[in-house]
């Protein structure tokens, strides 16, 4: 949910994020803009929009996601659950975004099989994983759980920076891999990375499910903080262009 405060003394009710643009248009019609200032609006996928509005307008946005979990039992997941068929790319992007924030499955493997096709293919461009090609979403999640989560000496943390539709049938997610440990001998910053995950969906008439995922490492060590990545991110491409 996103709360939009009124201009001056006229409060608006809390509205769903899908109605955010309508609410802002209504504000523009109802209130004369006396002094312009740039307002940054971030929806739940952190899509950046800049509008010129009265300086008295305020906007409260969701806090950035920084999810971790100690739950590693993948056997609790129904890997044969019904598929979420018929979603267009925007709605599938919402589902991918929300599921990553809920379970950090990019590092834990606690995935959401309803969004992925039976023929799903994963491939990594990371140097240590250059030959990794995994067929099947469950097989991919178990591999993630065994390598990035259980196989790690410190608990990985997934900070999802951006998740947006960047082209036809294409969803891009920018995220930071960090580590939490009580062992002071491990340098957390040196191990942190920035990933770009690209998800390709099938055509709408074929269900619109995710058919492939490719992970690419943009920054292999000493990754910037999540706050810095958000400040430099191009929200339409999900690329931190000025940091590369």
């Amino acid at each position: 949910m996103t709360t939009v405060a009124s201009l001056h003394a006229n409060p608006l009710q809390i509205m769903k994020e899908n109605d955010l643009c309508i609410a802002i248009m209504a504000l523009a019609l109802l209130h004369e803009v006396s002094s312009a200032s740039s307002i940054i609006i971030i929806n739940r996928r952190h899509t950046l929009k800049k509008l010129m509005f009265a300086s008295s307008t305020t906007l409260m946005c969701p806090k950035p996601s920084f999810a971790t979990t100690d739950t590693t039992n993948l056997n609790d997941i129904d890997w044969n659950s019904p598929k979420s068929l018929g979603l267009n790319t925007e709605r599938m992007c919402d589902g991918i975004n929300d599921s990553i924030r809920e379970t950090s499955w990019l590092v834990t493997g606690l995935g959401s099989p309803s969004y992925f096709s039976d023929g799903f293919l994963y491939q990594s461009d990371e140097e240590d994983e250059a030959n990794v090609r995994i067929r099947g979403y469950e097989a991919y999640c178990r591999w993630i759980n065994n390598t990035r989560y259980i196989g790690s000496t410190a608990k990985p943390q997934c900070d999802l920076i951006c998740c947006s539709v960047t082209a036809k049938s294409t969803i891009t997610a920018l995220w930071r891999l960090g580590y939490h440990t009580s062992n002071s001998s491990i340098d957390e910053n040196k191990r942190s990375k920035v990933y770009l995950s690209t998800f390709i969906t099938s055509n709408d008439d074929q269900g619109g499910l995710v058919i492939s995922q490719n992970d690419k490492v943009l920054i292999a060590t000493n990754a910037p903080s999540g706050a810095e990545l958000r400040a430099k991110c191009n929200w339409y491409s999900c690329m931190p262009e000025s940091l590369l």
Side-chain angles (χ1 to χ4, degrees), residues 46 62-69 97 100-104 107-108 155-161 175-181 188-189 192-193 223-227 229-230:
H46 293 272
K63 292 181 179 180
S65 167
F66 198 72
T68 61
T69 178
N97 173 84
I100 293 173
R101 294 183 185 281
E102 287 169 3
T103 66
S104 296
V107 298
T108 64
K155 294 302 181 185
Q157 298 175 318
C158 174
D159 187 3
L160 182 61
I161 307 300
W175 55 283
R176 183 185 188 275
L177 172 64
Y179 292 89
H180 175 74
T181 177
E188 178 182 341
N189 290 331
S192 60
K193 300 179 182 181
S225 68
L229 288 168
R230 288 182 178 86

Side-chain angles (χ1 to χ4, degrees), residues 3-241:
T3 302
V4 182
S6 69
L7 287 172
H8 309 298
N10 296 317
L12 292 178
Q13 65 183 26
I14 294 175
M15 298 183 178
K16 294 181 180 178
E17 288 178 0
N18 289 341
D19 298 328
L20 183 56
C21 288
I22 297 175
I24 293 172
M25 291 174 66
L27 283 172
L29 292 174
L30 291 172
H31 300 275
E32 179 180 358
V33 178
S34 57
S35 59
S37 61
S38 180
I39 302 296
I40 296 177
I41 298 166
I42 305 177
N43 69 8
R44 63 180 174 177
R45 293 195 312 276
H46 293 272
T47 301
L48 186 68
K49 302 177 185 295
K50 289 187 177 180
L51 299 176
M52 298 303 292
F53 258 81
S55 59
S56 55
T57 304
T58 58
L59 181 70
M60 297 178 62
C61 300
K63 292 181 179 180
S65 167
F66 198 72
T68 61
T69 178
D70 290 325
T71 304
T72 57
N73 188 1
L74 274 66
N75 294 325
D76 293 337
I77 297 174
D78 182 4
W79 298 104
N80 297 313
S81 60
K83 300 298 183 182
S84 298
L85 299 173
L87 300 180
N88 60 26
T89 311
E90 287 284 349
R91 293 180 62 194
M92 179 59 73
C93 183
D94 284 341
I96 296 297
N97 173 84
D98 293 347
S99 63
I100 293 173
R101 294 183 185 281
E102 287 169 3
T103 66
S104 296
W105 54 261
L106 290 168
V107 298
T108 64
L110 298 172
S112 299
S114 64
Y115 298 127
F116 295 81
S117 71
D118 292 334
F120 170 79
L121 176 65
Y122 170 79
Q123 183 171 342
S124 174
D125 289 342
E126 186 170 1
E127 183 176 353
D128 295 340
E129 304 171 356
N131 296 321
V132 174
R133 289 172 58 90
I134 302 174
R135 179 73 68 177
Y137 185 65
E138 179 181 359
Y140 155 74
C141 286
R142 293 189 179 278
W143 175 78
I144 288 292
N145 186 263
N146 285 328
T147 56
R148 289 184 183 165
Y149 195 73
I150 295 178
S152 175
T153 56
K155 294 302 181 185
Q157 298 175 318
C158 174
D159 187 3
L160 182 61
I161 307 300
C162 172
C163 186
S164 297
V165 176
T166 53
K168 181 180 179 181
S169 302
T170 304
I171 298 167
T172 303
L174 176 71
W175 55 283
R176 183 185 188 275
L177 172 64
Y179 292 89
H180 175 74
T181 177
S182 58
N183 186 348
S184 59
S185 66
I186 298 177
D187 190 331
E188 178 182 341
N189 290 331
K190 287 184 177 180
R191 300 182 58 194
S192 60
K193 300 179 182 181
V194 176
Y195 283 84
L196 195 73
S197 295
T198 303
F199 305 91
I200 304 299
T201 63
S202 63
N203 295 329
D204 292 344
D205 58 359
Q206 297 175 332
L209 298 173
V210 177
I211 58 177
S212 69
Q213 174 185 340
N214 180 275
D215 283 358
K216 180 179 181 179
V217 177
L218 297 183
I219 302 175
T221 185
N222 291 315
S225 68
E228 185 175 359
L229 288 168
R230 288 182 178 86
K232 302 294 185 181
C233 184
N234 179 325
W235 302 103
Y236 298 100
S237 65
C238 278
M239 288 288 288
E241 297 173 348

